Amino acid sequence: MRLYTAGASHRRIFEETGIDRRRVIGIFTRCVATHEDGEMWGFRACRYYSHTTPYKRVSPQLGETRLLSSGHSGLLLATLDRFPNIAEALDYEILESRKRGFAESAIRYDKLHALFLRKCKEVGIPANAYPFTVASQGERSLTRWIKKRLASLGSRKLAKVMFGDEVARRLGNENAPTRVGSRLKCLERVEFDGHRIDVMMTMFIPDPTGGEPVAMVIERIWLLAVIDASSRAVLGYHVSLARNYTAEDVLICLENALLPWQPRPLAVPGLKYPEGSGFPSAISELAFARWGEFAFDNAKSNCSKWVWDRVRDVIGCALNPGPVKTPERRQFIERLFLALEQNGFQRLPTTTGSSPKDIRRRKPEEKAVKYQVHLEEMLDLLDVLIAQYNALPTSALFGRSPLEYLRFSLDRNSFFVRQIPEDEREAFCLTVLREKGIVRGNLKRGERLYVRYEGVKYYSPKLSSSPNMRDQEVIVECRTRDLRKIKIFTTNGDEFGVLDASQAWAAQQHDLRVRKAILRCIHQGKIRRRGEEDVVGAYIAHKSRESGRIKKARNELAHALRVRRHPTPKPATLEHTSPPPSEPVLARVSAPRVKVKVRAFNF
């Protein structure tokens, strides 16, 4: 072929190789044919026993007995060429059947062979013809044809057809695209996700008859965490007691990642923080430190407009929700959850295991009551486990722990730290919600002016003495973890003042989730709206009565007690402090923005 393509004559080629002119042209035709990979055959066509075109049977079937073990080559392809309806039916069953509403999860060769025989009978193939005249009835040939048909689809589609969507998804995201450029710097990208902890725990429910508190099993809780992709350090976490975490839980987790960390007063005997453990926010240079990119999945709570607005406006970072159903793009947060389960919760006798078939799952609810594994004790253990995770050396950081790597990077000034300004730290809060409201009231009937928010009226002496505010539109700003007070702004940008909730709602601290749950109970007639001096206390008493038979009520009760037990910063921080009279006022306070345009990227 080199001589022929160089322009040598057929006489010279015959003298040097002994191959005549006709054979040379035939080999050249095979070499320039197109291969299955899209390229020319080239010198591959010059090897012995290489076929550039598939075998096609020309002669008819040789025998009509099942005992004949040879002479069947190409009969299957000849049958499919003669009856294309059979090939179409097989293709549909292999490629399209799983798109229907109800179908088998994966293909089976025996079922396809039965379909092949049924179609052969439908098209009129007699019993004395192929495939009914061979011992296997064409099963082996059909299996080889199906495998070759699937191989032509590509690896990902082949995995989807053979093993399901989950295997195809993993195969397609096994090697996630890497960023072009240098290694990620610290706090350049953080990952966020939620995980349901694989352990059962209890809480003590007050006995309605006045006896000793009873230990009741609650539903599994959610762990939300934020981790730095460069240093692998867990910046902060939050535990949600609901059946599914909400947008408010996401914001609380992000707030915990920014606020300085304080060790918990551990109540478990013998449990203590290892030496050198902790969180990055305990380092003064990294307290209130912002990050550059926020990577998360496409859960509804994560994609809430409230979350996106607060992250963009307060933290000032890019939003990256990532492709759908691709946890491999957030490998560090997934590895954190795996390490916490394997090294912590799945070692406890009350673990639920990784699945219902896990051998470590041995009546976790009964053992949770037997050993009285309290919720607060599990929260202590969780805090210690995450603090210890930040102090474990890893080979990815050249033998350093995440905290040591952060300190090493700080000493070398290898990354720039963006911190929240000092004048904003005292009243820093991410769970701030702003909505429009209208001042209502009727002076003729002696009704004070008020603003209704989430089914509750809010008053203030200043608002009551401002009749010109009636029927005026205002902007309501509240901290959702304490709804006893709200702040309102006028439409021209001036701050009006702080309003207090009505007496029945101001007795105990409650958050937005508890407020909605109380209103739902009032609507269902389980709690009286009027005549109650403490609506939150009535709700807690109602949930205490329901906890004996409803597991969901125990989580709701635990959440309400937790909000009441752990107060947020004093509401006095909501009040606006104007500058001293001696200092010039450069600009008036602008009204908070309600509608914003969100920009994000996805890769």
Side-chain angles (χ1 to χ4, degrees), residues 377-485:
E377 297 175 350
M378 297 307 302
L379 296 180
D380 291 346
L381 175 61
L382 176 62
D383 198 70
V384 172
L385 286 175
I386 298 180
Q388 181 182 7
Y389 182 87
N390 288 335
L392 293 178
T394 175
S395 59
L397 302 177
F398 311 102
R400 298 183 178 90
S401 67
L403 291 177
E404 291 175 348
Y405 185 80
L406 281 172
R407 293 189 180 96
F408 172 77
S409 301
L410 280 173
D411 295 339
R412 294 175 60 92
N413 295 324
S414 60
F415 69 101
F416 178 73
V417 181
R418 294 186 305 116
Q419 291 180 301
I420 294 175
E422 294 184 2
D423 57 346
E424 300 179 6
R425 297 181 184 180
E426 183 178 358
F428 177 77
C429 182
L430 276 181
T431 56
V432 175
L433 193 60
R434 301 183 180 100
E435 295 182 3
K436 292 182 179 180
I438 299 178
V439 179
R440 300 295 187 185
N442 195 324
L443 300 179
K444 184 182 297 185
R445 296 199 303 263
E447 185 179 15
R448 298 168 54 191
L449 297 182
Y450 64 89
V451 175
R452 184 183 295 274
Y453 180 74
E454 290 294 338
V456 177
K457 297 178 181 180
Y458 287 82
Y459 305 91
S460 75
K462 182 179 179 180
L463 183 63
S464 300
S465 59
S466 303
N468 59 321
M469 292 291 295
R470 184 174 180 268
D471 296 333
Q472 295 293 322
E473 187 179 80
V474 294
I475 297 177
V476 179
E477 177 184 285
C478 71
R479 296 187 176 184
T480 58
R481 281 182 283 175
D482 188 358
L483 293 182
R484 292 176 295 178
K485 292 181 179 290

Side-chain angles (χ1 to χ4, degrees), residues 246-263:
T246 62
E248 183 182 14
D249 294 321
V250 176
L251 292 175
I252 295 176
C253 179
L254 301 183
E255 183 178 321
N256 294 338
L258 295 170
L259 295 176
W261 173 73
Q262 296 292 337

Side-chain angles (χ1 to χ4, degrees), residues 115-367:
L115 173 64
F116 170 68
L117 296 180
R118 186 168 65 253
K119 291 296 180 181
C120 289
K121 294 179 180 179
E122 291 178 1
V123 297
I125 297 179
N128 60 350
Y130 183 88
F132 305 107
T133 57
V134 294
S136 62
Q137 293 189 336
E139 183 177 4
R140 288 178 295 178
S141 300
L142 180 65
T143 302
R144 289 193 297 267
W145 179 85
I146 293 173
K147 291 181 178 179
K148 188 175 181 180
R149 180 74 178 90
L150 293 174
S152 63
L153 303 177
S155 300
R156 187 168 183 176
K157 194 167 185 179
L158 172 62
K160 181 178 180 179
V161 173
M162 295 292 297
F163 308 108
D165 296 339
E166 180 64 19
V167 176
R169 185 195 61 78
R170 292 182 181 179
L171 182 64
N173 295 278
E174 181 178 2
N175 296 321
T178 57
R179 296 169 178 266
V180 178
S182 60
R183 178 188 177 94
L184 282 175
K185 298 179 181 180
C186 295
L187 300 183
E188 184 178 351
R189 170 187 166 95
V190 300
E191 298 176 359
F192 169 84
D193 201 359
H195 172 71
R196 211 170 186 184
I197 299 178
D198 298 336
V199 70
M200 287 293 184
M201 58 201 75
T202 62
M203 67 169 297
F204 292 101
I205 307 298
D207 190 354
T209 61
E212 294 292 332
V214 183
M216 294 289 183
V217 180
I218 63 176
E219 290 185 333
R220 291 160 54 191
I221 60 178
W222 283 89
L223 169 63
L224 288 72
V226 180
I227 190 172
D228 179 28
S230 177
S231 64
R232 279 73 162 172
V234 183
L235 304 180
Y237 74 95
H238 171 65
V239 174
S240 175
L241 303 180
R243 178 167 292 182
N244 200 352
Y245 65 90
T246 62
E248 183 182 14
D249 294 321
V250 176
L251 292 175
I252 295 176
C253 179
L254 301 183
E255 183 178 321
N256 294 338
L258 295 170
L259 295 176
W261 173 73
Q262 296 292 337
R264 289 173 58 93
L266 303 178
V268 181
L271 183 65
K272 61 181 180 180
Y273 293 97
E275 184 179 357
S277 62
F279 285 76
S281 57
I283 305 173
S284 58
E285 294 86 349
L286 298 179
F288 296 96
R290 300 168 173 172
W291 48 81
E293 178 188 339
F294 182 54
F296 52 96
D297 60 12
N298 288 266
K300 289 185 177 180
S301 301
N302 303 341
C303 296
S304 170
K305 184 179 182 297
W306 182 23
V307 174
W308 285 35
D309 290 348
R310 298 298 292 169
V311 171
R312 190 205 63 177
D313 296 339
V314 179
I315 302 178
C317 66
L319 296 163
N320 184 6
V324 179
K325 297 182 180 179
T326 53
E328 294 83 5
R329 302 294 179 90
R330 296 170 297 277
Q331 53 182 331
F332 303 113
I333 191 68
E334 298 294 341
R335 183 179 180 274
L336 166 66
F337 294 145
L338 179 64
L340 292 178
E341 293 291 355
Q342 292 182 348
N343 301 329
F345 297 111
Q346 291 182 358
R347 298 173 58 185
L348 300 176
T350 60
T351 179
T352 60
S354 58
S355 67
K357 297 182 180 179
D358 197 333
I359 59 175
R360 292 170 292 190
R361 184 186 181 105
R362 300 178 179 178
K363 300 180 179 179
E365 296 189 5
E366 296 182 5
K367 292 185 177 180

Side-chain angles (χ1 to χ4, degrees), residues 61-86:
Q61 186 176 356
L62 298 179
E64 299 178 357
T65 173
R66 294 176 181 268
L67 300 179
L68 191 62
S69 59
S70 61
H72 304 142
S73 299
L75 283 177
L76 176 64
L77 294 179
T79 303
L80 296 179
D81 290 341
R82 183 182 176 186
F83 303 100
N85 294 338
I86 300 178

Side-chain angles (χ1 to χ4, degrees), residues 28 284 527:
F28 178 77
S284 58
I527 299 177

Side-chain angles (χ1 to χ4, degrees), residues 484 500-510:
R484 292 176 295 178
D500 299 315
S502 57
Q503 183 177 0
W505 293 89
Q508 299 188 45
Q509 178 175 329
H510 60 283

